[in-house]
Amino acid sequence: MRIRPTSTRGGQSPAATSAESPATLSGLDARRLPASPRRRRPDLAALAALLILGGTAATITLILNGSARVSAIRITQHVTAGQQLSRAGMEEVRIADTGIDYLPWAQHVSYTQRLARVTLLPGTLLTTQMTAMASEELIPGKARVGLALKPGQSPAELQRGQRVQVISLPGQDTGDHNSTVLARSALVDSVSEPGTRGSSRLVNVIVDAALSPRIAAYASNGQIVLAYLPATH
């Protein structure tokens, strides 16, 4: 039996060439081939980025909320408009800094000398606009009148910032036989401490300028009485 010779190129047989072809490599030779890089799944990468950003944002929020807190004044007692603030009616509270000009607790002592411009309910956070000095009512058209009042001519518990009626008493010198309300709502600007028994105390009230001459005339004759007006809630 004759075997037909097979031509080869370069001295190699087709079997040898076929054995070295990458398509037919197996085993160790196949593992040595360079592997193509894996493609990352875009959805997982996006999720990881969102988690990182979310964690960073939460951390920043916690840091800001923890550091941006201020100490403010909170009202604990009902304060009517025109009434003087008291230390007993205030407490310190820590709140987030929202940009509103809440009065800092460090200034609470100075604000016990001020008056409530509006009615303040318990739980109110105090601001500058809610308070006023009694002298702030001294605007054009107003006048401060000093009254030297004997015991019984003014309430014993009279305090600065309260509202009072200024009433004239009957007197032979003036010819008046009836009491008259001279000022319906005068603001008490200052009150001196009561002195010894029988002595007068000085009370300054702010009234309309048109009423001040008449009130001063009655006061010089000792014919003035002050009646306390509880503020409406």
Side-chain angles (χ1 to χ4, degrees):
M1 180 178 181
R2 297 177 60 183
I3 299 175
R4 183 180 296 178
T6 304
S7 62
T8 61
R9 294 180 181 178
Q12 294 182 355
S13 65
T17 304
S18 176
E20 294 178 0
S21 174
T24 60
L25 290 177
S26 60
L28 180 61
D29 292 334
R31 290 196 297 270
R32 290 177 180 175
L33 291 176
S36 61
R38 294 183 179 180
R39 294 182 179 179
R40 296 182 178 179
R41 295 180 59 183
D43 52 347
L44 293 180
L47 178 60
L50 288 176
L51 291 176
I52 294 174
L53 291 176
T56 303
T59 302
I60 294 175
T61 301
L62 290 174
I63 293 174
L64 291 178
N65 290 341
S67 59
R69 299 187 73 83
V70 295
S71 181
I73 302 173
R74 181 164 60 189
I75 299 298
T76 60
Q77 298 177 359
H78 187 102
V79 184
T80 56
Q83 185 178 354
Q84 184 174 353
L85 302 177
S86 66
R87 170 62 184 87
M90 301 178 181
E91 69 177 2
E92 181 181 9
V93 61
R94 300 286 297 178
I95 60 173
D97 187 1
T98 59
I100 301 177
D101 60 340
Y102 294 120
L103 294 176
W105 176 254
Q107 300 180 12
H108 74 280
V109 175
S110 63
Y111 277 88
T112 58
Q113 305 300 319
R114 297 178 69 89
L115 309 177
R117 192 188 298 272
V118 295
T119 298
L120 303 176
L121 301 177
T124 301
L125 296 176
L126 203 61
T127 65
T128 305
Q129 292 76 15
M130 296 178 183
T131 67
M133 296 295 294
S135 58
E136 291 180 6
E137 190 157 323
L138 275 177
I139 58 177
K142 296 286 186 177
R144 180 191 285 117
V145 181
L147 309 174
L149 303 176
K150 296 179 181 179
Q153 290 183 299
S154 64
E157 70 279 5
L158 190 65
Q159 297 178 2
R160 175 176 177 262
Q162 292 179 339
R163 295 281 175 175
V164 294
Q165 283 184 339
V166 181
I167 304 172
S168 66
L169 296 175
Q172 296 180 352
D173 297 338
T174 59
D176 293 334
H177 302 287
N178 299 312
S179 298
T180 304
V181 177
L182 303 177
R184 298 187 178 277
S185 181
L187 178 64
V188 178
D189 187 49
S190 65
V191 181
S192 65
E193 292 295 332
T196 58
R197 184 179 181 82
S199 63
S200 300
R201 66 172 175 174
L202 181 63
V203 179
N204 289 324
V205 294
I206 298 176
V207 298
D208 291 339
L211 302 176
S212 60
R214 190 178 182 190
I215 293 174
Y218 279 102
S220 63
N221 295 325
Q223 294 177 246
I224 288 292
V225 170
L226 300 182
Y228 170 63
L229 292 174
T232 57
H233 294 179

